Amino acid sequence: MNDLRNIPFGRPWITDEERQGVLRVLDGPILTHGPQGKAFETEFGEFLGDGAHCLTVSSCMAALHLSYIHYGIGPGDEVIVPAQTHVATAHAVEWVGARPVFVDCEPESGNLAVDGIVAAITERTKAISVVHFVGIPCDMPAIMGVAEQHGLVVIEDCATAVGTRHSGKHVGLFGNVGCFSFYPVKHITTGEGGMFVTRHGDVHKSVHRLRAFGVDRTHDERTLPGMYDVPVLGLNYRMSEVQAALGRTQLSRFSDNLEQRRENFDLLKGALTDLREIHIVDNHDTDASSSYYCLVLVLDGSLRGRRNQIVGRLNAAGVGTSVYYPQPVPRMGYYKDRYNCEDAQYPNAIEISEQSFALPVGPHVNKEDIEYMVDHLHAVLAGVMQ
Ligand SMILES: *Cc1c(COP(=O)(O)O)cnc(C)c1O
């Protein structure tokens, strides 16, 4: 086989344009709440379309936390959360004192099953938090139908869904709010960072205030410097100008980024169809398009239970992998201690977390890398099956 390669699972796509943008900010006088942040919000809103109002924040988890604070969700309330997600989705609910009620995913897409949501609704349910698993869109029209029928708020966790659409509309704009992540391994990065998104002007105004201590006037609105009141309890979840400059350049190259991901995903998927005892988590909804965050393979048949061995051999050959997500959230120590949920409540989430691994398809992966991954995957699986 070809010479050893090193293909990391994720690598931020940073060019001279990013470096120049960051240096320009450092050469100027404004390091936070300035023109870069505002421009990034406007440009992200234009990218999403449909009149999206955007607010830069310090992380996706910050955006989620602000959402629950804004909607006044707290002790005694329940929020429906997928079992198969990043802990941030559930942590944001815990931090306002509400209870996450974990719901299983569909095995084909890794996304919340609509009938599972309906079955979990009680008198205490106030919100549904949906996650577009590895960029595959949830059935948002159906979920919004359920939410409207029961008067529930919908919080979309779009951390891996920049570029994900359903019926032509970008995700994050179906629910009451959408929360995006710019952590380095995600589609675009600001180091740490995120975007809070809503179609509702009043929600935007309220979260704008909550994001910055609860202060009632922005710098531009103050007639005298330093004069303001604080009518609500806020946080400091702002993004700096350096990060926003980075994000703007990343966003300007996003259509290239998504196109390369789509090509890589299709090429990799096509080359794996002849593999037995494996299935690929994918988008099966013809009204929807994925953001191609990564390619998740689930082991079946005699390969079950061999995940760590397979991943170990791939990593030794220089093929980077990840697992989405290493355990269903209710099995994580904190949640296990607190709620001790039955494993039988989320068998599909357990199956994906125990039997799957993810391969990279980002713009750092080229066609030779794909061939290399495919060759090694065939060899490793053949070796393991003997
Ligand atoms: C990465 C991720 C997060 C956390 O994003 P941060 O910006 O690091 O807070 C939240 N939800 C999901 C689904 C994620 O994959």
Side-chain angles (χ1 to χ4, degrees):
M1 236 175 287
N2 17 27
D3 292 341
L4 199 63
R5 284 183 174 241
N6 176 28
I7 311 164
F9 177 74
R11 187 195 287 145
W13 187 12
I14 304 292
T15 70
D16 260 346
E17 235 189 304
E18 272 86 354
R19 290 183 197 98
Q20 296 309 321
V22 165
L23 286 175
R24 269 195 302 277
V25 172
L26 292 177
D27 284 339
I30 303 171
L31 292 182
T32 195
H33 38 69
Q36 294 297 327
K38 284 202 190 90
F40 189 25
E41 288 168 351
T42 305
E43 288 157 9
F44 203 76
E46 284 163 0
F47 161 73
L48 295 177
D50 290 298
H53 300 283
C54 300
L55 288 167
T56 57
V57 285
S58 52
S59 69
C60 178
M61 182 165 165
L64 293 165
H65 190 196
L66 290 167
S67 306
Y68 294 112
I69 296 171
H70 166 78
Y71 284 103
I73 291 167
D77 297 337
E78 291 178 357
V79 178
I80 291 172
V81 173
Q84 181 64 357
T85 184
H86 189 288
V87 285
T89 321
H91 276 7
V93 176
E94 284 287 317
W95 271 112
V96 294
R99 181 186 179 120
V101 173
F102 295 105
V103 169
D104 201 13
C105 61
E106 295 175 323
E108 301 80 18
S109 67
N111 279 328
L112 275 183
V114 177
D115 50 359
I117 296 175
V118 173
I121 294 173
T122 71
E123 279 166 14
R124 292 167 179 256
T125 310
K126 290 288 175 340
I128 306 169
S129 180
V130 303
V131 175
H132 306 287
F133 183 67
V134 299
I136 301 167
C138 294
D139 186 352
M140 290 315 294
I143 291 170
M144 292 315 294
V146 171
E148 272 156 37
Q149 198 185 335
H150 296 268
L152 305 177
V153 169
V154 175
I155 312 287
E156 290 186 70
D157 180 336
C158 306
T160 59
V162 180
T164 299
R165 290 173 179 274
H166 197 289
S167 11
K169 182 153 135 182
H170 203 289
V171 297
L173 298 172
F174 288 88
N176 298 68
V177 308
C179 304
F180 291 82
S181 174
F182 305 137
Y183 183 75
V185 86
K186 309 284 161 99
H187 289 75
I188 63 175
T189 190
T190 56
E192 294 276 3
M195 195 70 85
F196 172 92
V197 170
T198 180
R199 283 169 293 125
H200 310 293
D202 56 329
V203 179
H204 171 257
K205 207 171 161 196
S206 152
V207 172
H208 188 278
R209 199 160 73 167
L210 291 169
R211 173 185 69 166
F213 307 111
V215 164
D216 66 344
R217 282 189 201 115
T218 65
H219 281 240
D220 303 344
E221 289 163 358
R222 292 176 199 166
T223 42
L224 291 171
M227 298 293 278
Y228 56 81
D229 188 23
V230 180
V232 294
L233 180 64
L235 291 146
N236 179 0
Y237 276 167
R238 285 187 301 241
M239 176 188 281
S240 79
E241 287 283 283
V242 175
Q243 291 167 295
L246 194 50
R248 289 182 69 195
T249 316
Q250 293 267 294
L251 182 63
S252 73
R253 272 205 315 279
F254 184 70
S255 61
D256 258 8
N257 183 334
L258 185 62
E259 183 55 25
Q260 289 185 45
R261 286 174 184 275
R262 192 183 61 73
E263 279 176 20
N264 283 339
F265 185 95
D266 288 347
L267 205 58
L268 188 53
K269 186 182 159 190
L272 299 179
T273 45
D274 63 326
L275 284 176
R276 287 175 301 121
E277 308 198 314
I278 256 184
H279 70 268
I280 293 169
V281 178
D282 206 353
N283 175 35
H284 298 283
D285 186 340
T286 49
D287 280 342
S289 55
S290 174
S291 66
Y292 305 101
Y293 177 60
C294 58
L295 185 141
V296 173
L297 286 169
V298 188
L299 305 171
D300 295 328
S302 69
L303 290 178
R304 295 185 82 257
R306 304 274 178 87
R307 195 261 312 274
N308 294 352
Q309 192 187 355
I310 292 166
V311 160
R313 292 191 190 183
L314 287 172
N315 293 167
V319 176
T321 60
S322 189
V323 175
Y324 287 88
Y325 290 85
Q327 291 206 74
V329 176
R331 271 194 172 181
M332 296 282 187
Y334 171 84
Y335 291 93
K336 184 109 196 110
D337 290 349
R338 194 160 165 78
Y339 300 114
N340 199 23
C341 298
E342 299 279 337
D343 279 1
Q345 290 170 358
Y346 40 87
N348 298 330
I350 292 176
E351 187 70 8
I352 292 181
S353 65
E354 287 184 348
Q355 307 301 340
S356 82
F357 61 95
L359 291 170
V361 298
H364 67 290
V365 174
N366 63 30
K367 305 293 171 268
E368 290 79 47
D369 292 332
I370 301 268
E371 262 176 52
Y372 183 88
M373 285 197 272
V374 170
D375 288 349
H376 280 274
L377 196 59
H378 276 94
V380 167
L381 293 184
V384 166
M385 276 197 250
Q386 273 169 11

